[in-house]
Amino acid sequence: MWSMSDPTQQSSVATPSVSPAARAGAAVRRMTARSKDEEHRASTPLEAFFDLCFVVAVAQAGQRLVHEVVEGHAGHGIVGYLMIFFAIWWAWMNFSWFASAYDTDDVPYRVTTLVQIVGVLVLAAGVPRAAADGDFRLVAIGYAVMRLALVTQWVRAGVAESGAARATAFRYAVGVAVCQVGWMVLLLPLGAPPVWAFAVMAVAEVLVPPLAELATSTSWHPGHIAERYGLFTIIVLGESVSAATVAVQSAADEHRALGLLVPIAAGGLLIVFSAWWIYFATPIEEHLVSSRMAFLWGYGHFAVFTSAAAIGAGLEVAVERAVDTADVSARTAAAAVALPAAVFLFMVWLLHARHHKRGAAEQAVLPIAAVAVAACTFSGTHAVLWAGLVCAATVAAGVWLDTHRRLADAPE
């Protein structure tokens, strides 16, 4: 995925477009690459189901982050959260890119994907133990199920392909398998890996795609990839809404601190609504013009997904602080919301918006907003509301500047 050539020229052999009905009707299909020019390429029901099952793991990671922050172990909690989310994100990302190129939607493919979902659920079950005690063994087992199932998919693709495409598929299979052996050696004996060792293995994982595709790229579909990432962004933002709703409901049921909960709820909704608006303001598939650009864009979404999910965890911390069930300072509670929101705004600008903005004013809106939202950490009791108002003002400014430019460019 790192060739700089036109994506329409990267796949060695691509099958002609096949209707979803025809794909679903075949018990077993030859797993050759799908066409990059396939029209109406959209996420399948199986992909949607796969994403939905990841909600469990994302929710578990967020809940453990909340627990660590309210217990006064924010630094430890953030490190654990990032490590757990790496496993979630990397397994999801690898599945999505493979499916974009090789989704046959036949019986073996479906069964293998369902096995990967089992791995997701096992991983989610291990999140509390990993976050609290640093014991990643159950997480490692769930991760292994997902990754080894993907190895079988790559082997199947390699057997069906020929030439450079076959070599790429087998390099993927070997790379993923070798990394999985490394994880097992690192995690199974003791369960709690040193951070540096985890970082080394994470780097090894992210190097597999550029090494596998050094000569020939897989035939990922720009529109399909953009849609898949957009759907997962909606999922993590939705998880933030869900987490905040449960926290507010629990506090409201006990009739405590309603005057403080309303500003938190309002600010949280403004942040999440604005995050959705900003992310989907411009179509990104037009920017995915080469494999290098597309995959760097995909890697950058680690920060987008982690920050979006962390907003919900931060809102839970803010609610618990408001009702005096968390012994954290007002500044810590504010930072738990404002900082991930600021990271989200900046990363969306870096990955999406800057490619479509014209002029200094349009380019400056999101970076300035990110700084302003981060500064809301110091705005006192109603920091979440202030952060939400800044996010809403950011959307309004972006819409106004875009409309003004379009009117100025319109022929008289």
Side-chain angles (χ1 to χ4, degrees):
M1 298 179 187
W2 291 83
S3 169
M4 291 302 292
S5 59
D6 187 296
T8 61
Q9 304 298 322
Q10 291 166 343
S11 176
S12 59
V13 178
T15 58
S17 297
V18 179
S19 70
R23 285 185 174 275
V28 180
R29 294 183 55 86
R30 183 175 174 82
M31 187 175 270
T32 51
R34 297 181 68 159
S35 172
K36 295 181 73 71
D37 299 322
E38 183 178 337
E39 296 182 356
H40 311 298
R41 179 76 166 94
S43 295
T44 66
L46 181 58
E47 287 176 314
F49 185 45
F50 185 84
D51 290 355
L52 183 62
C53 293
F54 267 81
V55 170
V56 180
V58 172
Q60 288 281 4
Q63 289 170 7
R64 300 314 303 177
L65 177 60
V66 172
H67 177 77
E68 292 295 314
V69 172
V70 300
E71 291 294 323
H73 309 300
H76 178 267
I78 291 171
V79 172
Y81 172 75
L82 293 176
M83 293 168 68
I84 292 166
F85 213 102
F86 174 83
I88 297 169
W89 162 74
W90 190 244
W92 176 88
M93 178 172 163
N94 277 245
F95 167 80
S96 297
W97 286 86
F98 177 86
S100 190
Y102 286 105
D103 181 2
T104 56
D105 198 28
D106 59 3
V107 171
Y109 180 87
R110 290 185 175 190
V111 171
T112 306
T113 301
L114 294 176
V115 170
Q116 290 177 279
I117 290 175
V118 172
V120 174
L121 300 179
V122 174
L123 184 151
V127 167
R129 185 180 301 175
D133 305 322
D135 187 348
F136 280 78
R137 280 175 287 195
L138 192 55
V139 169
I141 293 170
Y143 186 71
V145 172
M146 289 187 286
R147 302 296 283 155
L148 294 178
L150 184 65
V151 169
T152 67
Q153 298 277 46
W154 279 117
V155 169
R156 185 182 172 201
V159 170
E161 291 281 21
S162 61
R166 168 175 288 188
T168 296
F170 282 135
R171 280 196 295 267
Y172 260 114
V174 171
V176 173
V178 168
C179 285
Q180 196 53 56
V181 171
W183 285 117
M184 293 297 100
V185 171
L186 175 65
L187 296 175
L188 287 185
L190 300 177
V195 174
W196 66 265
F198 190 98
V200 169
M201 284 304 307
V203 170
E205 287 271 25
V206 300
L207 286 177
V208 170
L211 292 176
E213 304 200 15
L214 199 59
T216 302
S217 173
T218 52
S219 62
W220 52 272
H221 190 286
H224 177 250
I225 286 294
E227 182 189 19
R228 296 288 293 119
Y229 275 73
L231 290 174
F232 201 74
T233 300
I234 290 175
I235 284 175
V236 291
L237 288 175
E239 181 56 35
S240 290
V241 173
S242 176
T245 300
V246 171
V248 172
Q249 180 184 1
S250 299
D253 286 345
E254 300 181 20
H255 307 289
R256 294 186 296 176
L258 291 179
L260 294 175
L261 293 177
V262 171
I264 293 173
L269 285 177
L270 287 174
I271 291 171
V272 174
F273 291 169
S274 299
W276 171 85
W277 190 299
I278 291 167
Y279 186 91
F280 292 98
T282 53
I284 195 58
E285 59 266 22
E286 298 174 1
H287 169 64
L288 307 181
V289 296
S290 74
S291 288
R292 181 184 293 272
M293 289 183 180
F295 219 60
L296 289 175
W297 171 86
Y299 276 21
H301 270 71
F302 176 70
V304 174
F305 294 154
T306 53
S307 59
I311 292 171
L315 290 172
E316 286 195 61
V317 172
V319 169
E320 292 194 24
R321 197 266 172 187
V323 298
D324 295 325
T325 59
D327 187 19
V328 297
S329 67
R331 184 165 297 176
T332 298
V337 179
L339 295 185
V343 171
F344 182 91
L345 292 176
F346 180 78
M347 290 305 300
V348 171
W349 170 79
L350 186 66
L351 298 175
H352 281 254
R354 67 187 180 90
H355 302 292
H356 300 272
K357 301 296 184 181
R358 298 183 191 173
E362 289 189 19
Q363 287 287 4
V365 170
L366 283 177
I368 291 174
V371 174
V373 168
C376 289
T377 299
F378 306 98
S379 61
T381 305
H382 297 307
V384 176
L385 179 59
W386 281 113
L389 292 172
V390 170
C391 289
T394 301
V395 171
V399 170
W400 185 86
L401 287 170
D402 183 68
T403 302
H404 184 268
R405 172 172 55 80
R406 291 177 185 276
L407 290 175
D409 292 344
E412 297 182 359

